[in-house]
Amino acid sequence: MFTTEVLWGLQLGGFVQYSFALFCLLAVVHKVIVLLMHIRRTSRNYDAFPGPPAHWLFGNALQFKQDGTDFDLIVKWGLQYPYGYPVWFGPSVCYFNSHHPDYVKSILKTTEPKDDFFYKFIKSWIGDGLLVSSGQKWFRHRRLLTPGFHYDILKSYTRLMSDSVKTMLDKWEIYSSTGETFELFEHVSLMALDSIMKCAFSYVSNCQTESGTNTYIKSVYELSYLISLRLRTLPYHNDFIFHHSPHGFRYRRACKVAHSHTEAVIRKRKEALKGEKDTGNILKKRNLDFLDILLLARDENQQGLSDEDIRAEVDTFMFEGHDTTASGIAFILYTLACHPEHQQMCRDEINQVLDGKDNMEWEDLGKMPYTTMCIKESLRLYPPVPGIARISTKPMTFFDGKTLPAGCLLGASVFALHRNSMVWENPHVFDPLRFLPENISQRSPHAFVPFSAGPRNCIGQNFAMNEMKVVVALTLRRFQLIDDPMRKPKLIAQLVLRSLNGIHIKIKAMNT
């Protein structure tokens, strides 16, 4: 028989359970109400900007198939919505995607920080370096790192780049003799990594000649794929869900490989610089490089960068300096393979400049105007970074009077901008003469932004352009590039512009 105390205990226990259940229900209801209010407020921000219809739960995310047609869709939307339009990823995340020079100018001319949605997914890999940092930290790091890209530093890199390119071209001799089609991007990625390790870190990696696939390159591919996958997969936006998923495990494993690579480079240089405080002493032994600048940089208070900041900047430059450049170079070579008449005009110019030399010199880089125009036209059609994102910290008014409030996610679609028919006549046609000085002067400076623009433009753009010129010059001097019409690239965005099925060409040895 139950006593009064037992009955009272059971009633109290039931009341506690009921109260807990009610509390959970109210918490869920509160969360739903807050989410609905956020969705409504976000939706109102874009009332002045019509856009493609979006699913109530998935937004426009399911319309991006990652099958090689996504950029066609973006260009199509650009024709329908001339200046910009909202794109929804899920029910509450919305980007305002712009593709007109005057709109892009409003976004890029400011020092607005990178967005807090997409870029947070990449921070655990590259840290809080120049690419993603903001405010005073960004200003300080930009100021400290700028000397690392002075032409006196870049000048010494030209011969090192040439050496890396020649290693790649030596490996290509087998394809020249067989005439078979081969995939370009992996070769170029290894060459670009080899080049940046030699130039920026004075580190001989032998990554082009060692057996097997380079583990760092593999980790970069893996991380790029997984970050792109996370962006498109709504549940993966939650840190807890992604962390405990199989893809989260793969991401952490790839991060570990990338960070180990970076730490080894930094550790070796720190040991070499022990006791060195004067760059003059280093210059007596060798040329200064980016890592020297990074480790010896001091601000007005004689404060250097922390170990964490150094690793973040090295990780950032290791990725940005090789992966984006590799994308640009691979598509440049592919584009020249598809346009043999322009390829030959470049070759004639290059042979005249080199005059029998098999190396590029610093002075040669400025003597190839037509080749430079072809490089720029390829970067227009195939921008290595196809989109740029920011978040507004204050209201932004565009040239036509329309305004977006603070807190909006802003995207500049570089790919759609570069193929905007309001700006470029026959935008899908390869025409290097668009970059004649008289034609450039008739366009907005923000019509062509492969390296971004404004105060947050790419700090390494001169390094990248120099490397592209070296690669094109030495490649065309040695080989004729031939496209394979059966293996057209299927363009996808995975941090940088890539091809789902690779980038394939054939080559034929030139009589040099």
Side-chain angles (χ1 to χ4, degrees), residues 53-238:
H55 187 274
W56 69 272
L57 178 60
F58 301 109
N60 302 106
L62 296 182
Q63 292 168 268
F64 295 103
K65 309 291 187 183
Q66 283 282 293
D67 61 355
T69 62
D70 291 349
F71 286 109
D72 296 332
L73 180 64
I74 290 171
V75 172
K76 176 185 173 184
W77 283 344
L79 292 172
Q80 292 178 261
Y81 311 102
Y83 299 112
Y85 52 88
V87 179
W88 290 84
F89 293 90
S92 61
V93 177
C94 184
Y95 276 87
F96 178 74
N97 198 39
S98 59
H99 52 272
H100 186 278
D102 292 325
Y103 267 59
V104 169
K105 177 182 177 181
S106 297
I107 295 172
L108 299 186
K109 72 178 181 180
T110 70
T111 56
E112 295 288 51
K114 297 297 177 74
D115 75 80
D116 58 358
F117 173 62
F118 167 73
Y119 286 100
K120 74 177 181 182
F121 296 154
I122 199 175
K123 266 194 173 185
S124 56
W125 170 18
I126 64 172
D128 200 20
L130 269 185
L131 180 65
V132 296
S133 59
S134 59
Q136 287 304 311
K137 181 174 184 177
W138 176 82
F139 277 110
R140 179 174 180 262
H141 284 213
R142 179 85 180 200
R143 187 173 69 252
L144 290 176
L145 269 59
T146 295
F149 298 93
H150 190 273
Y151 77 90
D152 282 338
I153 302 292
L154 297 178
K155 188 175 181 179
S156 64
Y157 294 165
T158 311
R159 185 170 288 275
L160 296 173
M161 291 174 176
S162 295
D163 290 342
S164 294
V165 175
K166 286 193 285 185
T167 300
M168 178 182 74
L169 298 180
D170 287 344
K171 291 166 60 181
W172 286 9
E173 286 291 348
I174 186 173
Y175 302 115
S176 171
S177 60
T178 63
E180 65 180 296
T181 298
F182 68 101
E183 204 284 314
L184 192 63
F185 201 102
E186 184 176 341
H187 288 272
V188 173
S189 289
L190 286 170
M191 181 277 300
L193 178 62
D194 187 29
S195 182
I196 201 165
M197 294 294 284
K198 288 176 181 173
C199 295
F201 307 111
S202 300
Y203 185 95
V204 179
S205 67
N206 298 317
C207 64
Q208 293 197 78
T209 54
E210 65 185 15
S211 59
T213 305
N214 182 272
T215 55
Y216 177 75
I217 292 285
K218 287 180 67 177
S219 72
V220 170
Y221 285 166
E222 181 84 328
L223 290 165
S224 300
Y225 166 74
L226 291 170
I227 290 168
S228 177
L229 176 70
R230 187 177 184 187
L231 180 66
R232 303 191 319 271
T233 307
L234 186 59
Y236 280 176
H237 293 179
N238 181 277

Side-chain angles (χ1 to χ4, degrees), residues 75 78-79 81-84 98-102 104 380 413-428 434 447:
V75 172
L79 292 172
Y81 311 102
Y83 299 112
S98 59
H99 52 272
H100 186 278
D102 292 325
V104 169
R380 181 187 72 82
S413 176
V414 179
F415 190 93
L417 169 69
H418 286 182
R419 299 193 184 221
N420 187 338
S421 57
M422 295 172 63
V423 180
W424 307 91
E425 185 179 356
N426 299 321
H428 304 292
R434 301 179 198 273

Side-chain angles (χ1 to χ4, degrees), residues 188-363:
V188 173
S189 289
L190 286 170
M191 181 277 300
L193 178 62
D194 187 29
S195 182
I196 201 165
M197 294 294 284
K198 288 176 181 173
C199 295
F201 307 111
S202 300
Y203 185 95
V204 179
S205 67
N206 298 317
C207 64
Q208 293 197 78
T209 54
E210 65 185 15
S211 59
T213 305
N214 182 272
T215 55
Y216 177 75
I217 292 285
K218 287 180 67 177
S219 72
V220 170
Y221 285 166
E222 181 84 328
L223 290 165
S224 300
Y225 166 74
L226 291 170
I227 290 168
S228 177
L229 176 70
R230 187 177 184 187
L231 180 66
R232 303 191 319 271
T233 307
L234 186 59
Y236 280 176
H237 293 179
N238 181 277
D239 290 338
F240 180 85
I241 294 175
F242 181 72
H243 183 81
H244 289 86
S245 71
H247 290 115
F249 173 77
R250 285 169 55 186
Y251 179 84
R252 292 192 301 278
R253 184 173 59 188
C255 264
K256 186 176 180 180
V257 172
H259 290 162
S260 296
H261 177 84
T262 304
E263 287 163 359
V265 172
I266 297 172
R267 184 170 57 251
K268 186 173 181 180
R269 178 58 55 84
K270 278 187 170 182
E271 291 172 359
L273 288 178
K274 277 181 180 176
E276 293 287 4
K277 295 182 180 179
D278 183 8
T279 56
N281 293 332
I282 302 172
L283 284 169
K284 292 176 183 177
K285 306 172 187 175
R286 58 178 172 79
N287 292 314
L288 277 179
D289 62 23
F290 173 74
L291 190 53
D292 290 322
I293 301 291
L294 200 59
L295 291 169
L296 298 174
R298 296 293 182 269
D299 61 19
E300 59 275 10
N301 299 318
Q302 293 304 302
Q303 295 297 311
L305 297 170
S306 68
D307 288 347
E308 182 183 357
D309 287 340
I310 290 170
R311 196 188 82 171
E313 297 301 354
V314 172
D315 274 324
T316 297
F317 194 60
M318 199 88 76
F319 162 64
E320 285 285 299
H322 105 267
D323 210 31
T324 54
T325 308
S327 173
I329 291 170
F331 280 107
I332 289 166
L333 297 180
Y334 167 76
T335 304
L336 290 173
C338 294
H339 299 90
E341 69 282 10
H342 296 291
Q343 179 186 156
Q344 187 56 47
M345 291 174 72
C346 290
R347 183 177 291 108
D348 292 342
E349 179 180 69
I350 289 161
N351 285 337
Q352 185 174 0
V353 170
L354 293 182
D355 192 23
K357 295 184 300 183
D358 63 354
N359 257 327
M360 286 288 287
E361 305 291 343
W362 170 259
E363 294 75 17

Side-chain angles (χ1 to χ4, degrees), residues 35-55:
L35 177 62
L36 291 174
M37 290 176 65
H38 172 74
I39 293 171
R40 185 180 179 187
R41 185 169 59 251
T42 303
S43 184
R44 279 206 303 261
N45 290 341
Y46 305 101
D47 282 345
F49 301 96
H55 187 274

